[in-house]
Amino acid sequence: MKRLVVVGTGLIGGSFARAARQARLFDEILGVEPDAARAATAVAAGIVDRIVDTVPAAADAVLLAVPSDLIDGWVVRLADHAGIVFDAGSVKGAVLDRVRATLGRIPPRFVPCHPIAGSEQSGPAAASAELFAGHEAILTATAETAAAAVDAVAGWWRAVGARVTFLDPDEHDRILALTSHLPHLVAFAYLQQVTPAHLEHAAGGFRDFSRIAASDPAMWAPIFTLNGAAVLGALDGLQAELDRLRALIERDDRAGLGRLIEDSRTRRRAFVPPGDRSAAGSIPVITIDGPSGSGKGTVASLLARRLGWHLLDSGALYRIVAAVARERGVPLDDAQALAALARGLEIVFADERVFVDGADLTRTIRTEESSQGASQVAVLQPVRDAILDLQRAQCRPPGLVADGRDMGTVVFPDAPLKVFLDASAEVRAERRYNQLKNNGLSVSLAALLANIRERDERDRRRAVAPLRPAEDSVLIDSTELSIDEVLGRVLEAARVRGLVART
Ligand code: DC
């Protein structure tokens, strides 16, 4: 039996595990994860088969997907391990130096690697089997590294869709200081000046420049210090450019500024995002908004299945916040406490089930109590802000179908296809009536209709994220249409926009 052990089940470790499973590289995948919530999520979501305390002797491959300052310790501990050990850290030279300083050698079966893929997200909930597809995996083997180990590791990276390249460790560190470490440093520095009041006036420019400032401190603090010399070199270069820009502005040299901007624009245009589909902003999103009973949940779910895309049931997130708040005794009107709670949750949607901090809440969030709670917490802006990140985190290749009330207006304003699905209150009440009747519950149609009218009024008039179609949305009235007819219209709109191939 071939066994992989992933040390650290975060975004990178979790994604490799998912991709390796999909490619059937190993028969069993184990995880070493000291963080209890992450461990529970990694098991619940099927990322690893089980969690172990330490790396067992019988492992063919060990992936060290831990922050860069912990890698050398693991390499030293596994120096005589019979399997192949490889890592995914952003710093190579300094880590190898530290291993050599402790052991006096580099273990031949340790293959230093750096997949150039990731995102500002972290944790197993963000893990995706497609993370490495089309991306580079840099291998920085040393003279001491066994050729057979390099071949095996290169084969695994290729099997998960990566393009394998080879670099000298120090050269890797100099290049990455400029292409990755410096942009993160600048983004972190820039955000120090920005307050919540500024954010009200921020849009695309801010979003694109600042995205990586949301990255995990546990990952980034060690990178800057371990790769200190190269990072400081890159920072000096930037400082010189900033001085040049400052001088141009002080001299009111518009032509000089124009030349510099033109030159930078040419350099940027030469960049082709790796993996293309998975490049930030290029993952297609179809939003489906509308009132409850309009059929959007069913259509979104059918559409996601048809396209093989991910599904975001945003209402479920509000339901989760309400359900967990009740369980933990957080009052449903304490906006700040609810927002903090929402930000701390690890949510995984897998196989039509939902896991929160490792616990299966699929049924709990569908109770009447959770429905009521969800509509209460949904009017609180801090809760909506906290949930915004969770929602956007679901946007993963090859695409996303997002169902809710404000998907097209607030959460995915750049979505290439926005659908607003509506139906008369009478028909929506009738659908709900039939649904409840099929579940053996007896209710009055008149009462349901009154409820729906009342809820519509509240949803459309509420001050915070009211239910309304995005200006550029396709309006579909499903009053006289079957689900199949609605699905057909959405698919046609997707074809027209080139999101789906014509069949
Ligand atoms: O779609 P649903 O019934 O599961 O939604 C539960 C509640 O959450 C509902 O009261 C509306 C609210 N909601 C929202 O305000 N914004 C969304 N994008 C989705 C749901």
Side-chain angles (χ1 to χ4, degrees), residues 196-243:
H198 295 129
L199 294 183
E200 287 175 29
H201 310 288
F206 176 82
R207 179 198 60 205
D208 294 343
F209 185 77
S210 66
R211 179 180 60 82
I212 51 180
S215 300
D216 185 3
M219 283 271 305
W220 282 94
I223 290 175
F224 295 137
T225 51
L226 277 171
N227 200 23
V231 169
L232 290 178
L235 195 56
D236 287 343
L238 176 69
Q239 191 66 58
E241 290 303 328
L242 290 176
D243 289 344

Side-chain angles (χ1 to χ4, degrees), residues 292 296 313-316 318-319 366 371 374-375 378 384 391 403-407 462:
S292 50
K296 67 188 165 50
D313 169 4
S314 60
Y318 291 93
R319 291 167 178 271
R366 296 294 155 198
S371 301
S375 75
R384 301 198 76 90
Q391 293 175 121
D403 144 26
R405 308 290 193 284
D406 59 347
M407 298 297 100
R462 71 181 179 201

Side-chain angles (χ1 to χ4, degrees), residues 36-395:
R38 280 190 174 199
T41 301
V43 173
I47 290 173
V48 297
D49 296 308
R50 60 197 159 87
I51 294 290
V52 285
D53 289 336
T54 189
V55 176
D60 302 272
V62 183
L63 169 60
L64 307 176
V66 293
S68 293
D69 56 338
L70 303 181
I71 293 172
D72 63 295
W74 277 103
V75 175
V76 168
R77 239 167 288 150
L78 296 170
D80 298 314
H81 194 278
I84 293 174
V85 178
F86 63 121
D87 76 321
S90 271
V91 183
K92 307 271 61 118
V95 170
L96 288 167
D97 289 347
R98 281 161 59 136
V99 172
R100 200 171 273 120
T102 312
L103 286 179
R105 64 187 174 96
I106 302 294
R109 275 191 299 274
F110 168 55
V111 181
C113 300
H114 181 202
I116 312 297
S119 79
E120 73 284 9
Q121 295 156 28
S122 55
S128 155
E130 290 91 352
L131 187 71
F132 307 108
H135 284 248
E136 186 184 16
I138 303 176
L139 272 56
T140 65
T142 68
E144 292 145 273
T145 315
V150 174
D151 288 347
V153 173
W156 295 332
W157 284 117
R158 289 191 187 106
V160 300
R163 180 172 60 85
V164 173
T165 62
F166 300 90
L167 274 182
D168 167 77
D170 293 327
E171 192 183 356
H172 164 279
D173 290 357
R174 277 193 301 276
I175 295 172
L176 268 289
L178 200 60
T179 56
S180 169
H181 306 169
L182 184 65
H184 279 82
L185 196 75
V186 172
F188 292 133
Y190 167 69
L191 259 291
Q192 289 293 304
Q193 299 185 69
V194 179
T195 66
H198 295 129
L199 294 183
E200 287 175 29
H201 310 288
F206 176 82
R207 179 198 60 205
D208 294 343
F209 185 77
S210 66
R211 179 180 60 82
I212 51 180
S215 300
D216 185 3
M219 283 271 305
W220 282 94
I223 290 175
F224 295 137
T225 51
L226 277 171
N227 200 23
V231 169
L232 290 178
L235 195 56
D236 287 343
L238 176 69
Q239 191 66 58
E241 290 303 328
L242 290 176
D243 289 344
R244 190 151 74 100
L245 272 167
R246 165 180 279 277
L248 289 169
I249 294 169
E250 282 171 351
R251 285 203 307 271
D252 202 15
D253 184 349
R254 219 163 290 175
L257 279 167
R259 279 193 299 275
L260 188 147
I261 293 168
E262 183 61 41
D263 182 49
S264 288
R265 177 156 91 152
T266 307
R267 290 167 192 246
R268 176 60 172 79
R269 282 181 168 168
F271 169 67
V272 180
D276 216 11
R277 281 186 325 173
S278 58
S282 68
I283 303 166
V285 179
I286 298 178
T287 61
I288 304 187
D289 288 306
S292 50
S294 59
K296 67 188 165 50
T298 312
V299 170
S301 149
L302 288 171
L303 184 65
R305 208 172 310 155
R306 173 79 78 92
L307 300 177
W309 290 8
H310 297 279
L311 174 68
L312 166 61
D313 169 4
S314 60
L317 296 175
Y318 291 93
R319 291 167 178 271
I320 287 168
V321 172
V324 175
R326 253 185 231 280
E327 191 185 293
R328 297 191 190 164
V330 177
L332 294 188
D333 56 358
D334 185 341
Q336 297 307 330
L338 290 167
L341 175 150
R343 283 187 210 281
L345 297 175
E346 279 228 332
I347 300 174
V348 175
F349 293 98
D351 302 329
E352 313 210 342
R353 309 201 69 75
V354 57
F355 300 92
V356 181
D357 292 343
D360 187 344
L361 292 196
T362 314
R363 289 169 74 91
T364 314
I365 65 164
R366 296 294 155 198
T367 60
E368 190 51 32
E369 204 178 29
S370 296
S371 301
Q372 291 299 335
S375 75
Q376 269 175 275
V377 303
V379 301
L380 305 170
Q381 187 65 51
V383 173
R384 301 198 76 90
D385 289 345
I387 284 180
L388 196 59
D389 294 340
L390 288 175
Q391 293 175 121
R392 290 186 177 149
Q394 302 300 320
C395 182

Side-chain angles (χ1 to χ4, degrees), residues 405-426:
R405 308 290 193 284
D406 59 347
M407 298 297 100
T409 48
V410 176
V411 182
F412 301 108
D414 300 327
L417 173 56
K418 300 174 184 176
V419 175
F420 192 86
L421 199 54
D422 211 343
S424 71
E426 288 76 11

Side-chain angles (χ1 to χ4, degrees), residues 450-471:
N451 271 348
I452 278 195
R453 289 211 163 109
E454 187 189 326
R455 197 141 29 105
D456 277 1
E457 191 65 11
R458 198 168 52 222
D459 283 352
R460 292 179 208 262
R461 282 178 184 270
R462 71 181 179 201
V464 171
L467 175 66
R468 65 175 173 83
E471 274 170 23

